[in-house]
Amino acid sequence: FESKVVTYTVVPLIIVAMLFIPLLVARARSYDLDDHAENFRSVIVTDRFWTNSMMMLFLLYPTLSLTSMLAWNCDPLSGLLIDDFRRTCPEVTSFIGLYSLGAFLFYPIGIPIFINSVLRRNGITRIVKNKIDHLTTEAMISLYVKITCPLEAQRFSRQVGDADIDKKEFKRQARNAFNKLLKIQEILRIVPAEEEEGALQITEILALENGDKNESAETGITGTDIFDLCRYMAGHDKNGDGSIDFDEFSQMLRTTRQDCNLFTGSETPDRLT
């Protein structure tokens, strides 16, 4: 019984000591100095040592903790060890009793304290804080992009192009896209008032969404119909008259293009200030 307890609790220490040998060699040869040619190898060795040691201690922690308490696992009726009924429960002052006490302090209590100390010394709190800050920023950016640049806006921006590179080409593409929407409006048999001729009647189009005329609602933009676009364009109706003319449509596309380029590396620095 004593041999089992000692073997189970000493062998892990021998393995850790063997893992420590390359680190000692690197330190003895001054590989850990910043100006040494082999410094990069010392960094790798140190990293591997701590990674392997921490993983091994983590995996062996339950077994080591249980083994360190075997000497106290006694049958209350017979006074014999449950793990070896040939032995009576050892006295606290006996070798195995004192050894188990030391092992209990060293493994079940010592390993968590050791791992916590090593992680804190290597800046785990700073690393965790940086990760939380990074994920928070990513979540904020994702929410902002979702609000300012929905799927319809992304498709529009890809179809029309960049307004800043070639203004004439942008206007031509924007006019083509606007004319396609006007043709769909004609197919839906929506006739605007004379003063609103050449404008998209988004309120009237949306009123037909659940009617029988939406079989011709495809816009030519994959996965998007006229009703999706009208719901998006309703937020860009500056004068609130329920219609979008070409000037409002062009301004919407410029804003859409800028918003969809945010946080992609394609935006200008002043857009992120």
Side-chain angles (χ1 to χ4, degrees):
F1 176 76
E2 287 87 346
S3 300
K4 176 185 176 182
V5 173
V6 172
T7 302
Y8 273 57
T9 53
V10 170
V11 168
L13 295 178
I14 297 175
I15 297 175
V16 172
M18 293 174 64
L19 293 174
F20 196 66
I21 291 175
L23 192 60
L24 289 176
V25 173
R27 293 292 178 89
R29 296 185 178 182
S30 301
Y31 288 175
D32 58 316
L33 299 179
D34 293 338
D35 57 348
H36 199 285
E38 299 292 338
N39 176 259
F40 73 98
R41 294 177 64 187
S42 175
V43 172
I44 294 174
V45 169
T46 303
D47 178 69
R48 296 285 174 82
F49 166 75
W50 286 113
T51 301
N52 294 334
S53 298
M54 291 294 179
M55 180 59 68
M56 188 188 70
L57 291 176
F58 176 77
L59 294 177
L60 293 178
Y61 180 75
T63 302
L64 292 172
S65 299
L66 181 62
T67 304
S68 66
M69 294 183 285
L70 290 179
W72 304 328
N73 189 24
C74 298
D75 181 66
L77 298 178
S78 63
L80 301 176
L81 284 172
I82 292 179
D83 289 271
D84 189 349
F85 277 106
R86 298 170 299 177
R87 303 287 304 274
T88 58
C89 289
E91 297 290 337
V92 176
T93 56
S94 65
F95 166 75
I96 194 62
L98 294 175
Y99 184 86
S100 296
L101 178 61
F104 176 78
L105 296 175
F106 191 78
Y107 288 117
I109 298 177
I111 288 179
I113 295 175
F114 173 74
I115 292 178
N116 182 270
S117 300
V118 171
L119 291 176
R120 286 185 174 276
R121 182 178 179 183
N122 286 275
I124 189 64
T125 53
R126 173 180 51 81
I127 294 173
V128 171
K129 183 179 183 303
N130 289 342
K131 286 188 176 182
I132 293 175
D133 291 344
H134 177 74
L135 291 175
T136 302
T137 304
E138 290 291 330
M140 292 170 62
I141 291 174
S142 297
L143 179 60
Y144 180 84
V145 170
K146 181 179 179 180
I147 294 173
T148 60
C149 191
L151 192 58
E152 290 74 25
Q154 296 177 31
R155 290 168 176 165
F156 249 138
S157 65
R158 286 196 298 267
Q159 183 190 43
V160 176
D162 195 340
D164 298 326
I165 295 178
D166 190 337
K167 291 185 172 13
K168 290 184 178 180
E169 179 62 17
F170 171 79
K171 187 174 182 180
R172 188 182 70 82
Q173 293 284 4
R175 174 58 71 177
N176 288 340
F178 191 70
N179 288 340
K180 288 180 182 179
L181 297 178
L182 288 177
K183 288 181 180 179
I184 296 173
Q185 179 174 264
E186 293 178 8
I187 294 173
L188 294 173
R189 300 174 185 175
I190 295 176
V191 181
E194 185 176 348
E195 65 273 9
E196 294 182 344
E197 189 173 351
L200 282 169
Q201 307 302 308
I202 55 177
T203 302
E204 295 184 34
I205 293 174
L206 288 173
L208 299 174
E209 183 172 9
N210 298 321
D212 299 327
K213 296 183 179 182
N214 58 9
E215 68 275 1
S216 302
E218 292 299 324
T219 61
I221 304 176
T222 304
T224 304
D225 60 27
I226 187 69
F227 305 112
D228 293 330
L229 295 179
C230 284
R231 276 191 293 272
Y232 175 66
M233 288 188 288
H236 294 270
D237 182 13
K238 300 301 182 183
N239 52 19
D241 59 357
S243 64
I244 293 283
D245 58 22
F246 180 69
D247 290 337
E248 289 177 311
F249 184 75
S250 298
Q251 184 57 42
M252 180 197 73
L253 290 182
R254 289 189 180 91
T255 304
T256 296
R257 182 71 184 182
Q258 291 176 339
D259 289 342
C260 289
N261 275 340
L262 288 178
F263 310 108
T264 63
S266 303
E267 71 281 355
T268 56
D270 60 292
R271 286 281 296 159
L272 294 178
T273 59

